[in-house]
Amino acid sequence: MGFEKQILIDASGHLLGRLASVIAKTILSGQRVVVVRCEAINISGSFYRNKLKYHKFLDKRCNINPRRGPFHLRTPSRIFWRTVRGMLPHKTKRGAEALKRLKVFDGIPPPYDKKKRVVVPTALRILKLKPGRRFCVLGRISHEVGWKYQEIISTLEKKRKARAEVYYKQKKQLTLLKKKAEENAKPQLQEINKQLAVFGY
């Protein structure tokens, strides 16, 4: 399969580990990947269980000088980035170059709001998590451990969806008008179409 210039993935409703593993393999092969809406990524297991896990991680630090790490990232996009990093040989040249091919964002900033987004079926929660099993949202965990921009991102997302709805309605009307115009012009274009058919058009 050939490379695309960039794959734009909408991470909403995907399972964290499954999506990270697919992306890790993809960027190692040389493909550029952009992931948007990281705040809507799902994690299997209850919210309380995952919150306790993250608080255990917050306890881990360098005793001599905590500024040396490990660094506890709070933003959903950076938590996801760190998950992907853990699946790469990031201390080698190959792994570091692969990590540079990945971009992660909370919400959908421009210019990605006007581009075609795709999903990863092998990582979708609706397909891969047994119905009735508990799950939680990454954005909520981030908010609980110190991420301050949950409300701002949700406000920006509402505005983006409103703009997208207006655009879609206009596009639908234009498509209908184009269809009507083509039907009205059919009798006039019959002769021209016959001539074009001779030349293989």
Side-chain angles (χ1 to χ4, degrees):
M1 194 180 86
F3 289 110
E4 292 175 38
K5 193 177 181 183
Q6 201 175 59
I7 295 173
L8 181 59
I9 297 171
D10 187 347
S12 176
H14 289 72
L15 289 166
L16 178 72
R18 282 178 179 270
L19 182 62
S21 63
V22 170
I23 287 170
K25 273 197 159 188
T26 308
I27 58 177
L28 273 171
S29 68
Q31 176 66 59
R32 293 180 189 276
V33 177
V34 178
V35 186
V36 292
R37 288 172 82 188
C38 287
E39 76 285 352
I41 288 173
N42 295 152
I43 305 171
S44 58
S46 69
F47 166 72
Y48 186 66
R49 176 187 169 87
N50 283 300
K51 187 184 169 183
L52 289 179
K53 273 186 188 176
Y54 204 87
H55 276 287
K56 273 189 179 179
F57 169 58
L58 291 177
D59 291 338
K60 290 174 172 64
R61 63 174 197 154
C62 178
N63 209 17
I64 299 155
N65 185 359
R67 284 179 295 179
R68 287 180 183 173
F71 303 108
H72 310 107
L73 306 166
R74 260 74 167 193
T75 313
S77 56
R78 297 300 285 169
I79 290 172
F80 179 70
W81 175 85
R82 199 176 197 274
T83 309
V84 175
R85 190 188 73 174
M87 298 178 183
L88 297 171
H90 67 97
K91 291 184 181 182
T92 65
K93 180 76 175 171
R94 177 171 167 257
E97 287 299 316
L99 204 55
K100 284 178 188 175
R101 291 183 207 113
L102 175 67
K103 286 184 181 179
V104 287
F105 297 99
D106 299 310
I108 309 180
Y112 304 113
D113 57 340
K114 290 182 174 69
K115 289 185 179 179
K116 177 80 174 171
R117 297 181 291 278
V118 295
V119 295
V120 180
T122 53
L124 282 170
R125 177 188 56 81
I126 200 92
L127 299 176
K128 291 294 171 182
L129 197 66
K130 190 178 177 182
R133 297 290 191 203
R134 290 180 182 179
F135 69 93
C136 61
V137 180
L138 182 59
R140 191 183 167 195
I141 292 170
S142 292
H143 178 68
E144 293 280 328
V145 296
W147 183 46
K148 298 171 185 174
Y149 302 101
Q150 191 182 34
E151 283 182 32
I152 292 169
I153 292 291
S154 64
T155 307
L156 289 169
E157 277 294 282
K158 280 174 190 171
K159 286 179 182 176
R160 181 191 64 79
K161 283 173 184 174
R163 286 197 303 271
E165 201 176 341
V166 170
Y167 167 77
Y168 181 67
K169 281 177 182 175
Q170 287 176 347
K171 189 183 175 183
K172 221 174 179 183
Q173 284 177 338
L174 284 168
T175 310
L176 283 168
L177 287 168
K178 191 182 176 184
K179 210 174 182 184
K180 281 180 184 177
E182 282 173 358
E183 282 173 11
N184 293 336
K186 254 186 184 178
Q188 299 165 16
L189 296 171
Q190 273 179 347
E191 284 297 317
I192 297 164
N193 287 335
K194 279 178 187 175
Q195 288 172 14
L196 286 169
V198 173
F199 297 107
Y201 290 102

